[in-house]
Amino acid sequence: MEIKEYARTLAASDSAVREVIEQRETLWLNPRLLPFEVVDGVTQLVVSDEDIQDAEARLARFAPYIRKCFPETEETEGLIESPLAEIPAMQQALCGEEGCEIPGRLFLKMDSHLAIAGSVKARGGIYEVLKHAEELALAAGKLTVTDNYEKLAAPEMKEFFGKYTVQVGSTGNLGLSIGIMSAFLGFNVKVHMSADAKQWKKDMLRSKGVNVIEYEDDYSRAVAEGRRQSDADPMSYFVDDEYSVDLFLGYAVAAGRLAEQFEEQGLTVDEEHPLIVYVPAGVGGAPGGVCYGLKRRFGDNVHVFFTEPVMCPSLLVGFASQRYEQANVHDFGISGETHADGLACASPSGFVTRICNNLVAGDFTVADYRLYDYMRMLMETESIRIEPSSCASFVGPVNLMGKGVAYLEKEGITSEKLARSTQICWATGGRLVPEEVWEQYLNTHLK
Ligand SMILES: *Cc1c(COP(=O)(O)O)cnc(C)c1O
């Protein structure tokens, strides 16, 4: 694969980009990170606090419906929310294995176990489908915002939604979340799946009556084709992973809920108690929305790193080159092929790379073989199963005190502060993985 001119130029002045080209693990630090107060005003023009509150309120309106239809959400009263679990044994094992130091307390945000879709996509994907359904039902006079939304489960509502189609392009998990929720509401659903998508995800969707269309190409092609087909059909709605603000809002809601969990668990976040968060990134929607929500809530006291596969660091190259969605990992001579199917997007979201341009702390890359090692380690130490893509988040805490030292110094995060810090690895998927696929994962050794 040929390296483009702009990539070479960038590599000459940026050692992290050189390491990307050399297919080695790296940490790219964001030279454009700004104090939150500087960025606050401008970003609010795009996505405001009211927008996030509006999304929270919408999810609250739907809670009675979700609770009624998905008994697994009984405990959270119809909210799709995940536990925040401390993982001290994993923390110790990570240190032992790598001979590193992980200060503070280490937690796992278990979006891997979210209701309905079993991945972080249950936040953004389901939110966008619910919002679309609400808009249609309101416009048709079949619903008012003060109604009990349980009525959406009625057969006549399913029939109503059955006149409409929802489409999405996906590497797998977004398709699962959009597909399961849309089909449940009664929509016709078409999911355009890239070559990276796992067979079991296609099978599961088909079993729920979803029309799965398969492509030989990568994710961008599946999205482009889905968008084209949807645009040609006036009754069809396309969930656009590359540009959707609604998806982003669904993810951003996580921050307020996390703040409540901190309160319940007695965790403090302030200047003396930094919060450091690591989120695996594919096209960027999920980590971008989470990052944005967290920055809005915790400002400079939260430090958000994205994590990506060595062979597919699309957000890294989007930020570093300032070409946003015009950047592509192929331009850096790398294949984009990775075992982390949830992270296999060769070009990043233009929306996310722009809105997070001055907010994200940096981007760690991780070799595929480690994903399986981390996955086994988490199983052995904490008896928690998460899928390989999710395990990309562990590269963060392992390397913070090594590759990340320059960042800690620049941000004035002293070892005293670190000792009081909270570090969170965002577990982005896993609950729906079938038993036989787990067996395969557990037996995969790439090195
Ligand atoms: C989708 C996904 C991500 C990343 O989300 P993007 O919005 O594509 O950046 C991370 N992990 C898993 C398991 C996913 O399915």
Side-chain angles (χ1 to χ4, degrees), residues 119-121 171 173-174 241 251 280-287 315 342-343 345 387 389-390 428-429:
S119 81
V120 66
K121 305 295 193 309
T171 63
N173 282 340
L174 185 65
D241 204 7
Y251 295 122
V283 73
L315 282 120
L343 314 183
C345 305
E387 66 184 84
S389 299
S390 290
T428 44

Side-chain angles (χ1 to χ4, degrees), residues 185-414:
L185 278 156
F187 287 107
N188 297 302
V189 200
K190 278 192 194 172
V191 176
H192 304 263
M193 287 271 200
S194 62
D196 314 279
K198 298 272 190 266
Q199 189 59 42
W200 68 265
K201 294 182 183 173
K202 299 174 194 168
D203 296 342
M204 185 176 289
L205 280 172
R206 288 191 173 118
S207 78
K208 300 194 186 280
V210 171
N211 184 356
V212 178
I213 301 146
E214 300 176 60
Y215 296 87
E216 300 280 315
D217 291 283
D218 73 5
Y219 166 80
S220 307
R221 169 79 204 295
V223 173
E225 190 54 29
R227 196 185 282 133
R228 194 188 64 75
Q229 288 193 21
S230 188
D231 287 351
D233 176 357
M235 297 300 273
S236 175
Y237 179 82
F238 185 65
V239 177
D240 197 329
D241 204 7
E242 288 172 343
Y243 289 98
S244 168
V245 177
D246 286 327
L247 272 180
F248 188 84
L249 282 169
Y251 295 122
V253 166
R257 308 242 186 104
L258 189 63
E260 281 172 29
Q261 290 180 319
F262 287 167
E263 216 150 278
E264 285 160 19
Q265 302 192 24
L267 291 163
T268 306
V269 178
D270 59 23
E271 163 127 48
E272 293 303 315
H273 302 77
L275 171 63
I276 308 168
V277 182
Y278 310 94
V279 200
V283 73
V290 167
C291 170
Y292 190 73
L294 288 172
K295 291 302 277 189
R296 297 223 62 76
R297 190 154 279 258
F298 298 110
D300 296 331
N301 298 325
V302 64
H303 308 269
V304 183
F305 291 92
F306 295 167
T307 67
E308 298 188 282
V310 164
M311 295 308 261
C312 199
S314 57
L315 282 120
L316 190 162
V317 300
F319 287 125
S321 67
Q322 291 292 286
R323 288 189 170 222
Y324 313 110
E325 76 282 3
Q326 303 291 332
N328 188 306
V329 298
H330 302 150
D331 300 345
F332 293 74
I334 51 181
S335 70
E337 282 166 22
T338 168
H339 281 245
D341 56 321
L343 314 183
C345 305
S347 283
S349 154
F351 175 64
V352 170
T353 41
R354 283 180 182 83
I355 199 166
C356 291
N357 203 20
N358 308 112
L359 295 174
V360 71
D363 193 312
F364 287 94
T365 64
V366 57
D368 276 13
Y369 77 89
R370 287 193 208 277
L371 303 177
Y372 294 99
D373 292 348
Y374 291 149
M375 185 192 68
R376 282 184 282 268
M377 198 185 280
L378 186 67
M379 275 274 287
E380 281 158 23
T381 55
E382 306 281 352
S383 305
I384 299 173
R385 298 206 293 201
I386 65 176
E387 66 184 84
S389 299
S390 290
C391 294
S393 60
F394 294 117
V395 74
V398 165
N399 290 289
L400 183 69
M401 301 288 279
K403 293 188 180 87
V405 159
Y407 180 81
L408 298 173
E409 283 175 1
K410 178 169 73 82
E411 294 298 310
I413 307 176
T414 60

Side-chain angles (χ1 to χ4, degrees), residues 1-31:
M1 217 161 289
E2 206 183 318
I3 301 174
K4 290 253 175 83
E5 190 57 38
Y6 82 88
R8 282 190 200 285
T9 309
L10 197 56
S13 62
D14 188 329
S15 60
V17 172
R18 275 200 298 282
E19 287 177 325
V20 165
I21 290 174
E22 289 161 6
Q23 305 181 7
R24 285 161 51 198
E25 292 182 333
T26 191
L27 165 61
W28 171 80
L29 289 179
N30 184 3

